[in-house]
PDB file of all heavy atoms in Angstrom:
ATOM      1  N   GLU W 157       0.848  -1.198   0.000  1.00  0.00           N
ATOM      2  CA  GLU W 157       0.000   0.000   0.000  1.00  0.00           C
ATOM      3  C   GLU W 157       0.882   1.246   0.000  1.00  0.00           C
ATOM      4  O   GLU W 157       1.056   1.915   1.010  1.00  0.00           O
ATOM      5  CB  GLU W 157      -0.930  -0.002   1.221  1.00  0.00           C
ATOM      6  CG  GLU W 157      -1.840  -1.200   1.300  1.00  0.00           C
ATOM      7  CD  GLU W 157      -2.902  -1.203   0.199  1.00  0.00           C
ATOM      8  OE1 GLU W 157      -3.029  -0.184  -0.506  1.00  0.00           O
ATOM      9  OE2 GLU W 157      -3.589  -2.214   0.046  1.00  0.00           O
ATOM     10  N   ALA W 158       1.452   1.546  -1.155  1.00  0.00           N
ATOM     11  CA  ALA W 158       2.329   2.717  -1.244  1.00  0.00           C
ATOM     12  C   ALA W 158       1.565   3.976  -1.584  1.00  0.00           C
ATOM     13  O   ALA W 158       2.172   5.031  -1.750  1.00  0.00           O
ATOM     14  CB  ALA W 158       3.409   2.468  -2.291  1.00  0.00           C
ATOM     15  N   VAL W 159       0.238   3.892  -1.724  1.00  0.00           N
ATOM     16  CA  VAL W 159      -0.567   5.077  -2.012  1.00  0.00           C
ATOM     17  C   VAL W 159      -0.648   5.921  -0.742  1.00  0.00           C
ATOM     18  O   VAL W 159      -0.781   5.393   0.369  1.00  0.00           O
ATOM     19  CB  VAL W 159      -1.967   4.670  -2.496  1.00  0.00           C
ATOM     20  CG1 VAL W 159      -2.793   5.897  -2.852  1.00  0.00           C
ATOM     21  CG2 VAL W 159      -1.850   3.748  -3.698  1.00  0.00           C
ATOM     22  N   TRP W 160      -0.616   7.213  -0.901  1.00  0.00           N
ATOM     23  CA  TRP W 160      -0.441   8.100   0.250  1.00  0.00           C
ATOM     24  C   TRP W 160      -1.537   7.959   1.288  1.00  0.00           C
ATOM     25  O   TRP W 160      -1.269   7.931   2.491  1.00  0.00           O
ATOM     26  CB  TRP W 160      -0.335   9.551  -0.223  1.00  0.00           C
ATOM     27  CG  TRP W 160      -1.572  10.113  -0.861  1.00  0.00           C
ATOM     28  CD1 TRP W 160      -1.901  10.055  -2.179  1.00  0.00           C
ATOM     29  CD2 TRP W 160      -2.633  10.805  -0.206  1.00  0.00           C
ATOM     30  NE1 TRP W 160      -3.107  10.667  -2.398  1.00  0.00           N
ATOM     31  CE2 TRP W 160      -3.578  11.143  -1.206  1.00  0.00           C
ATOM     32  CE3 TRP W 160      -2.887  11.187   1.105  1.00  0.00           C
ATOM     33  CZ2 TRP W 160      -4.759  11.836  -0.924  1.00  0.00           C
ATOM     34  CZ3 TRP W 160      -4.043  11.878   1.385  1.00  0.00           C
ATOM     35  CH2 TRP W 160      -4.971  12.192   0.382  1.00  0.00           C
ATOM     36  N   PHE W 161      -2.806   7.841   0.885  1.00  0.00           N
ATOM     37  CA  PHE W 161      -3.868   7.784   1.884  1.00  0.00           C
ATOM     38  C   PHE W 161      -4.005   6.386   2.479  1.00  0.00           C
ATOM     39  O   PHE W 161      -4.559   6.217   3.566  1.00  0.00           O
ATOM     40  CB  PHE W 161      -5.201   8.259   1.289  1.00  0.00           C
ATOM     41  CG  PHE W 161      -5.656   7.495   0.082  1.00  0.00           C
ATOM     42  CD1 PHE W 161      -6.412   6.344   0.206  1.00  0.00           C
ATOM     43  CD2 PHE W 161      -5.341   7.947  -1.186  1.00  0.00           C
ATOM     44  CE1 PHE W 161      -6.835   5.647  -0.903  1.00  0.00           C
ATOM     45  CE2 PHE W 161      -5.764   7.266  -2.311  1.00  0.00           C
ATOM     46  CZ  PHE W 161      -6.511   6.104  -2.177  1.00  0.00           C
ATOM     47  N   LYS W 162      -3.508   5.366   1.796  1.00  0.00           N
ATOM     48  CA  LYS W 162      -3.567   4.010   2.336  1.00  0.00           C
ATOM     49  C   LYS W 162      -2.435   3.743   3.321  1.00  0.00           C
ATOM     50  O   LYS W 162      -2.535   2.833   4.155  1.00  0.00           O
ATOM     51  CB  LYS W 162      -3.531   2.996   1.203  1.00  0.00           C
ATOM     52  CG  LYS W 162      -4.760   3.066   0.298  1.00  0.00           C
ATOM     53  CD  LYS W 162      -4.713   2.010  -0.794  1.00  0.00           C
ATOM     54  CE  LYS W 162      -5.965   2.102  -1.675  1.00  0.00           C
ATOM     55  NZ  LYS W 162      -5.961   1.100  -2.765  1.00  0.00           N
ATOM     56  N   THR W 163      -1.367   4.530   3.233  1.00  0.00           N
ATOM     57  CA  THR W 163      -0.277   4.386   4.207  1.00  0.00           C
ATOM     58  C   THR W 163      -0.763   4.734   5.610  1.00  0.00           C
ATOM     59  O   THR W 163      -0.459   4.044   6.588  1.00  0.00           O
ATOM     60  CB  THR W 163       0.906   5.297   3.817  1.00  0.00           C
ATOM     61  OG1 THR W 163       1.358   4.932   2.521  1.00  0.00           O
ATOM     62  CG2 THR W 163       2.042   5.158   4.804  1.00  0.00           C
ATOM     63  N   GLY W 164      -1.525   5.798   5.714  1.00  0.00           N
ATOM     64  CA  GLY W 164      -2.094   6.150   7.016  1.00  0.00           C
ATOM     65  C   GLY W 164      -3.058   5.100   7.519  1.00  0.00           C
ATOM     66  O   GLY W 164      -3.132   4.833   8.735  1.00  0.00           O
ATOM     67  N   ALA W 165      -3.810   4.471   6.599  1.00  0.00           N
ATOM     68  CA  ALA W 165      -4.732   3.416   7.018  1.00  0.00           C
ATOM     69  C   ALA W 165      -3.987   2.217   7.600  1.00  0.00           C
ATOM     70  O   ALA W 165      -4.467   1.576   8.545  1.00  0.00           O
ATOM     71  CB  ALA W 165      -5.583   2.978   5.827  1.00  0.00           C
ATOM     72  N   LEU W 166      -2.808   1.917   7.053  1.00  0.00           N
ATOM     73  CA  LEU W 166      -2.011   0.825   7.601  1.00  0.00           C
ATOM     74  C   LEU W 166      -1.611   1.094   9.047  1.00  0.00           C
ATOM     75  O   LEU W 166      -1.691   0.208   9.913  1.00  0.00           O
ATOM     76  CB  LEU W 166      -0.750   0.619   6.755  1.00  0.00           C
ATOM     77  CG  LEU W 166      -0.913  -0.097   5.413  1.00  0.00           C
ATOM     78  CD1 LEU W 166       0.406  -0.092   4.655  1.00  0.00           C
ATOM     79  CD2 LEU W 166      -1.396  -1.526   5.611  1.00  0.00           C
ATOM     80  N   LEU W 167      -1.197   2.313   9.313  1.00  0.00           N
ATOM     81  CA  LEU W 167      -0.808   2.657  10.682  1.00  0.00           C
ATOM     82  C   LEU W 167      -2.008   2.624  11.612  1.00  0.00           C
ATOM     83  O   LEU W 167      -1.894   2.204  12.775  1.00  0.00           O
ATOM     84  CB  LEU W 167      -0.148   4.039  10.703  1.00  0.00           C
ATOM     85  CG  LEU W 167       1.185   4.172   9.961  1.00  0.00           C
ATOM     86  CD1 LEU W 167       1.682   5.607  10.026  1.00  0.00           C
ATOM     87  CD2 LEU W 167       2.223   3.226  10.537  1.00  0.00           C
ATOM     88  N   LEU W 168      -3.165   3.074  11.121  1.00  0.00           N
ATOM     89  CA  LEU W 168      -4.363   3.041  11.952  1.00  0.00           C
ATOM     90  C   LEU W 168      -4.780   1.616  12.276  1.00  0.00           C
ATOM     91  O   LEU W 168      -5.367   1.350  13.335  1.00  0.00           O
ATOM     92  CB  LEU W 168      -5.509   3.778  11.251  1.00  0.00           C
ATOM     93  CG  LEU W 168      -5.378   5.299  11.179  1.00  0.00           C
ATOM     94  CD1 LEU W 168      -6.498   5.885  10.329  1.00  0.00           C
ATOM     95  CD2 LEU W 168      -5.403   5.912  12.575  1.00  0.00           C
ATOM     96  N   ASP W 169      -4.483   0.687  11.402  1.00  0.00           N
ATOM     97  CA  ASP W 169      -4.818  -0.729  11.632  1.00  0.00           C
ATOM     98  C   ASP W 169      -3.780  -1.445  12.470  1.00  0.00           C
ATOM     99  O   ASP W 169      -3.869  -2.665  12.667  1.00  0.00           O
ATOM    100  CB  ASP W 169      -4.973  -1.449  10.287  1.00  0.00           C
ATOM    101  CG  ASP W 169      -6.205  -0.979   9.529  1.00  0.00           C
ATOM    102  OD1 ASP W 169      -7.127  -0.432  10.180  1.00  0.00           O
ATOM    103  OD2 ASP W 169      -6.240  -1.140   8.291  1.00  0.00           O
ATOM    104  N   GLY W 170      -2.756  -0.727  12.936  1.00  0.00           N
ATOM    105  CA  GLY W 170      -1.744  -1.338  13.791  1.00  0.00           C
ATOM    106  C   GLY W 170      -0.588  -1.959  13.043  1.00  0.00           C
ATOM    107  O   GLY W 170       0.253  -2.632  13.658  1.00  0.00           O
ATOM    108  N   ASN W 171      -0.508  -1.759  11.739  1.00  0.00           N
ATOM    109  CA  ASN W 171       0.583  -2.327  10.957  1.00  0.00           C
ATOM    110  C   ASN W 171       1.774  -1.362  10.915  1.00  0.00           C
ATOM    111  O   ASN W 171       1.692  -0.217  11.367  1.00  0.00           O
ATOM    112  CB  ASN W 171       0.118  -2.633   9.530  1.00  0.00           C
ATOM    113  CG  ASN W 171      -1.009  -3.655   9.521  1.00  0.00           C
ATOM    114  OD1 ASN W 171      -0.949  -4.656  10.221  1.00  0.00           O
ATOM    115  ND2 ASN W 171      -2.053  -3.385   8.734  1.00  0.00           N
ATOM    116  N   THR W 172       2.874  -1.836  10.361  1.00  0.00           N
ATOM    117  CA  THR W 172       4.059  -1.004  10.173  1.00  0.00           C
ATOM    118  C   THR W 172       4.317  -0.820   8.678  1.00  0.00           C
ATOM    119  O   THR W 172       3.660  -1.444   7.843  1.00  0.00           O
ATOM    120  CB  THR W 172       5.293  -1.643  10.839  1.00  0.00           C
ATOM    121  OG1 THR W 172       5.472  -2.966  10.310  1.00  0.00           O
ATOM    122  CG2 THR W 172       5.108  -1.732  12.343  1.00  0.00           C
ATOM    123  N   LEU W 173       5.264   0.028   8.365  1.00  0.00           N
ATOM    124  CA  LEU W 173       5.552   0.347   6.979  1.00  0.00           C
ATOM    125  C   LEU W 173       6.683  -0.510   6.441  1.00  0.00           C
ATOM    126  O   LEU W 173       7.480  -1.075   7.193  1.00  0.00           O
ATOM    127  CB  LEU W 173       5.932   1.825   6.858  1.00  0.00           C
ATOM    128  CG  LEU W 173       4.907   2.829   7.392  1.00  0.00           C
ATOM    129  CD1 LEU W 173       5.437   4.251   7.243  1.00  0.00           C
ATOM    130  CD2 LEU W 173       3.579   2.683   6.677  1.00  0.00           C
ATOM    131  N   SER W 174       6.739  -0.600   5.112  1.00  0.00           N
ATOM    132  CA  SER W 174       7.786  -1.363   4.446  1.00  0.00           C
ATOM    133  C   SER W 174       8.227  -0.596   3.211  1.00  0.00           C
ATOM    134  O   SER W 174       7.413  -0.244   2.354  1.00  0.00           O
ATOM    135  CB  SER W 174       7.283  -2.752   4.045  1.00  0.00           C
ATOM    136  OG  SER W 174       8.274  -3.445   3.309  1.00  0.00           O
ATOM    137  N   TYR W 175       9.521  -0.325   3.131  1.00  0.00           N
ATOM    138  CA  TYR W 175      10.079   0.372   1.976  1.00  0.00           C
ATOM    139  C   TYR W 175      11.285  -0.402   1.467  1.00  0.00           C
ATOM    140  O   TYR W 175      12.153  -0.795   2.238  1.00  0.00           O
ATOM    141  CB  TYR W 175      10.496   1.802   2.328  1.00  0.00           C
ATOM    142  CG  TYR W 175       9.328   2.753   2.417  1.00  0.00           C
ATOM    143  CD1 TYR W 175       8.745   3.068   3.639  1.00  0.00           C
ATOM    144  CD2 TYR W 175       8.796   3.328   1.262  1.00  0.00           C
ATOM    145  CE1 TYR W 175       7.670   3.938   3.704  1.00  0.00           C
ATOM    146  CE2 TYR W 175       7.724   4.205   1.328  1.00  0.00           C
ATOM    147  CZ  TYR W 175       7.168   4.497   2.541  1.00  0.00           C
ATOM    148  OH  TYR W 175       6.094   5.352   2.608  1.00  0.00           O
ATOM    149  N   PHE W 176      11.305  -0.641   0.152  1.00  0.00           N
ATOM    150  CA  PHE W 176      12.390  -1.355  -0.516  1.00  0.00           C
ATOM    151  C   PHE W 176      12.638  -2.721   0.126  1.00  0.00           C
ATOM    152  O   PHE W 176      13.772  -3.175   0.264  1.00  0.00           O
ATOM    153  CB  PHE W 176      13.672  -0.521  -0.500  1.00  0.00           C
ATOM    154  CG  PHE W 176      13.511   0.818  -1.163  1.00  0.00           C
ATOM    155  CD1 PHE W 176      13.360   1.961  -0.406  1.00  0.00           C
ATOM    156  CD2 PHE W 176      13.495   0.921  -2.544  1.00  0.00           C
ATOM    157  CE1 PHE W 176      13.204   3.197  -1.022  1.00  0.00           C
ATOM    158  CE2 PHE W 176      13.335   2.159  -3.161  1.00  0.00           C
ATOM    159  CZ  PHE W 176      13.188   3.306  -2.403  1.00  0.00           C
ATOM    160  N   GLY W 177      11.551  -3.353   0.532  1.00  0.00           N
ATOM    161  CA  GLY W 177      11.645  -4.691   1.100  1.00  0.00           C
ATOM    162  C   GLY W 177      12.091  -4.737   2.545  1.00  0.00           C
ATOM    163  O   GLY W 177      12.248  -5.825   3.103  1.00  0.00           O
ATOM    164  N   LYS W 178      12.305  -3.572   3.159  1.00  0.00           N
ATOM    165  CA  LYS W 178      12.756  -3.527   4.548  1.00  0.00           C
ATOM    166  C   LYS W 178      11.616  -3.029   5.427  1.00  0.00           C
ATOM    167  O   LYS W 178      10.983  -2.015   5.122  1.00  0.00           O
ATOM    168  CB  LYS W 178      13.961  -2.588   4.698  1.00  0.00           C
ATOM    169  CG  LYS W 178      15.154  -2.952   3.830  1.00  0.00           C
ATOM    170  CD  LYS W 178      15.773  -4.270   4.261  1.00  0.00           C
ATOM    171  CE  LYS W 178      17.019  -4.569   3.424  1.00  0.00           C
ATOM    172  NZ  LYS W 178      17.652  -5.850   3.835  1.00  0.00           N
ATOM    173  N   ASN W 179      11.372  -3.759   6.503  1.00  0.00           N
ATOM    174  CA  ASN W 179      10.328  -3.352   7.428  1.00  0.00           C
ATOM    175  C   ASN W 179      10.803  -2.180   8.289  1.00  0.00           C
ATOM    176  O   ASN W 179      11.907  -2.195   8.826  1.00  0.00           O
ATOM    177  CB  ASN W 179       9.931  -4.526   8.324  1.00  0.00           C
ATOM    178  CG  ASN W 179       8.766  -4.164   9.222  1.00  0.00           C
ATOM    179  OD1 ASN W 179       7.744  -3.676   8.745  1.00  0.00           O
ATOM    180  ND2 ASN W 179       8.921  -4.402  10.518  1.00  0.00           N
ATOM    181  N   ILE W 180       9.965  -1.166   8.398  1.00  0.00           N
ATOM    182  CA  ILE W 180      10.287   0.012   9.207  1.00  0.00           C
ATOM    183  C   ILE W 180       9.401  -0.019  10.450  1.00  0.00           C
ATOM    184  O   ILE W 180       8.186   0.117  10.354  1.00  0.00           O
ATOM    185  CB  ILE W 180      10.046   1.308   8.405  1.00  0.00           C
ATOM    186  CG1 ILE W 180      10.909   1.307   7.148  1.00  0.00           C
ATOM    187  CG2 ILE W 180      10.358   2.535   9.267  1.00  0.00           C
ATOM    188  CD1 ILE W 180      10.699   2.509   6.266  1.00  0.00           C
ATOM    189  N   PRO W 181       9.986  -0.221  11.608  1.00  0.00           N
ATOM    190  CA  PRO W 181       9.180  -0.388  12.828  1.00  0.00           C
ATOM    191  C   PRO W 181       8.615   0.932  13.349  1.00  0.00           C
ATOM    192  O   PRO W 181       8.994   1.425  14.417  1.00  0.00           O
ATOM    193  CB  PRO W 181      10.171  -0.997  13.817  1.00  0.00           C
ATOM    194  CG  PRO W 181      11.496  -0.471  13.385  1.00  0.00           C
ATOM    195  CD  PRO W 181      11.431  -0.368  11.890  1.00  0.00           C
ATOM    196  N   ILE W 182       7.718   1.520  12.579  1.00  0.00           N
ATOM    197  CA  ILE W 182       7.070   2.762  12.984  1.00  0.00           C
ATOM    198  C   ILE W 182       5.572   2.495  13.076  1.00  0.00           C
ATOM    199  O   ILE W 182       4.933   2.172  12.081  1.00  0.00           O
ATOM    200  CB  ILE W 182       7.334   3.897  11.971  1.00  0.00           C
ATOM    201  CG1 ILE W 182       8.831   4.212  11.924  1.00  0.00           C
ATOM    202  CG2 ILE W 182       6.550   5.144  12.352  1.00  0.00           C
ATOM    203  CD1 ILE W 182       9.189   5.304  10.934  1.00  0.00           C
ATOM    204  N   ASN W 183       5.043   2.616  14.280  1.00  0.00           N
ATOM    205  CA  ASN W 183       3.605   2.464  14.443  1.00  0.00           C
ATOM    206  C   ASN W 183       2.962   3.840  14.539  1.00  0.00           C
ATOM    207  O   ASN W 183       3.620   4.874  14.430  1.00  0.00           O
ATOM    208  CB  ASN W 183       3.280   1.607  15.669  1.00  0.00           C
ATOM    209  CG  ASN W 183       3.938   2.135  16.933  1.00  0.00           C
ATOM    210  OD1 ASN W 183       4.201   3.335  17.049  1.00  0.00           O
ATOM    211  ND2 ASN W 183       4.209   1.243  17.886  1.00  0.00           N
ATOM    212  N   LEU W 184       1.660   3.856  14.765  1.00  0.00           N
ATOM    213  CA  LEU W 184       0.931   5.121  14.772  1.00  0.00           C
ATOM    214  C   LEU W 184       1.393   6.039  15.892  1.00  0.00           C
ATOM    215  O   LEU W 184       1.572   7.251  15.687  1.00  0.00           O
ATOM    216  CB  LEU W 184      -0.569   4.843  14.891  1.00  0.00           C
ATOM    217  CG  LEU W 184      -1.471   6.080  14.876  1.00  0.00           C
ATOM    218  CD1 LEU W 184      -1.327   6.834  13.562  1.00  0.00           C
ATOM    219  CD2 LEU W 184      -2.920   5.679  15.106  1.00  0.00           C
ATOM    220  N   VAL W 185       1.608   5.491  17.090  1.00  0.00           N
ATOM    221  CA  VAL W 185       2.010   6.323  18.229  1.00  0.00           C
ATOM    222  C   VAL W 185       3.365   6.972  17.968  1.00  0.00           C
ATOM    223  O   VAL W 185       3.563   8.184  18.185  1.00  0.00           O
ATOM    224  CB  VAL W 185       2.048   5.471  19.513  1.00  0.00           C
ATOM    225  CG1 VAL W 185       2.589   6.302  20.686  1.00  0.00           C
ATOM    226  CG2 VAL W 185       0.662   4.924  19.830  1.00  0.00           C
ATOM    227  N   LEU W 186       4.315   6.183  17.472  1.00  0.00           N
ATOM    228  CA  LEU W 186       5.651   6.718  17.201  1.00  0.00           C
ATOM    229  C   LEU W 186       5.608   7.772  16.095  1.00  0.00           C
ATOM    230  O   LEU W 186       6.319   8.788  16.166  1.00  0.00           O
ATOM    231  CB  LEU W 186       6.595   5.580  16.812  1.00  0.00           C
ATOM    232  CG  LEU W 186       8.065   5.953  16.613  1.00  0.00           C
ATOM    233  CD1 LEU W 186       8.625   6.608  17.866  1.00  0.00           C
ATOM    234  CD2 LEU W 186       8.879   4.733  16.221  1.00  0.00           C
ATOM    235  N   ALA W 187       4.771   7.555  15.094  1.00  0.00           N
ATOM    236  CA  ALA W 187       4.649   8.526  14.009  1.00  0.00           C
ATOM    237  C   ALA W 187       4.092   9.851  14.521  1.00  0.00           C
ATOM    238  O   ALA W 187       4.574  10.929  14.150  1.00  0.00           O
ATOM    239  CB  ALA W 187       3.770   7.967  12.896  1.00  0.00           C
ATOM    240  N   VAL W 188       3.088   9.798  15.385  1.00  0.00           N
ATOM    241  CA  VAL W 188       2.492  11.019  15.928  1.00  0.00           C
ATOM    242  C   VAL W 188       3.494  11.752  16.809  1.00  0.00           C
ATOM    243  O   VAL W 188       3.636  12.986  16.719  1.00  0.00           O
ATOM    244  CB  VAL W 188       1.215  10.679  16.712  1.00  0.00           C
ATOM    245  CG1 VAL W 188       0.706  11.909  17.464  1.00  0.00           C
ATOM    246  CG2 VAL W 188       0.132  10.159  15.771  1.00  0.00           C
ATOM    247  N   VAL W 189       4.216  11.022  17.668  1.00  0.00           N
ATOM    248  CA  VAL W 189       5.200  11.653  18.541  1.00  0.00           C
ATOM    249  C   VAL W 189       6.302  12.312  17.717  1.00  0.00           C
ATOM    250  O   VAL W 189       6.736  13.438  17.997  1.00  0.00           O
ATOM    251  CB  VAL W 189       5.790  10.626  19.517  1.00  0.00           C
ATOM    252  CG1 VAL W 189       6.964  11.227  20.285  1.00  0.00           C
ATOM    253  CG2 VAL W 189       4.718  10.145  20.490  1.00  0.00           C
ATOM    254  N   ALA W 190       6.758  11.620  16.675  1.00  0.00           N
ATOM    255  CA  ALA W 190       7.815  12.182  15.826  1.00  0.00           C
ATOM    256  C   ALA W 190       7.353  13.460  15.142  1.00  0.00           C
ATOM    257  O   ALA W 190       8.100  14.444  15.060  1.00  0.00           O
ATOM    258  CB  ALA W 190       8.253  11.145  14.790  1.00  0.00           C
ATOM    259  N   GLU W 191       6.115  13.468  14.672  1.00  0.00           N
ATOM    260  CA  GLU W 191       5.597  14.671  14.014  1.00  0.00           C
ATOM    261  C   GLU W 191       5.479  15.832  14.992  1.00  0.00           C
ATOM    262  O   GLU W 191       5.823  16.976  14.661  1.00  0.00           O
ATOM    263  CB  GLU W 191       4.244  14.371  13.373  1.00  0.00           C
ATOM    264  CG  GLU W 191       4.334  13.496  12.137  1.00  0.00           C
ATOM    265  CD  GLU W 191       2.989  13.331  11.457  1.00  0.00           C
ATOM    266  OE1 GLU W 191       2.026  13.992  11.902  1.00  0.00           O
ATOM    267  OE2 GLU W 191       2.899  12.545  10.508  1.00  0.00           O
TER     268      GLU W 191
END
């Protein structure tokens, strides 16, 4: 789900992100705190 609005949906569902085959351990709480 590399589409911009679906990336946020992944975090809302409790999932993490993946770029270039590497898992990025960023959940919703960490993303909000970082912002």
Side-chain angles (χ1 to χ4, degrees):
E157 301 291 351
V159 182
W160 66 271
F161 57 87
K162 295 182 180 179
T163 301
L166 283 175
L167 295 178
L168 289 174
D169 291 339
N171 299 315
T172 56
L173 304 178
S174 175
Y175 283 97
F176 302 102
K178 302 293 183 179
N179 185 52
I180 301 177
I182 297 179
N183 54 27
L184 181 62
V185 175
L186 185 57
V188 171
V189 171
E191 288 185 6

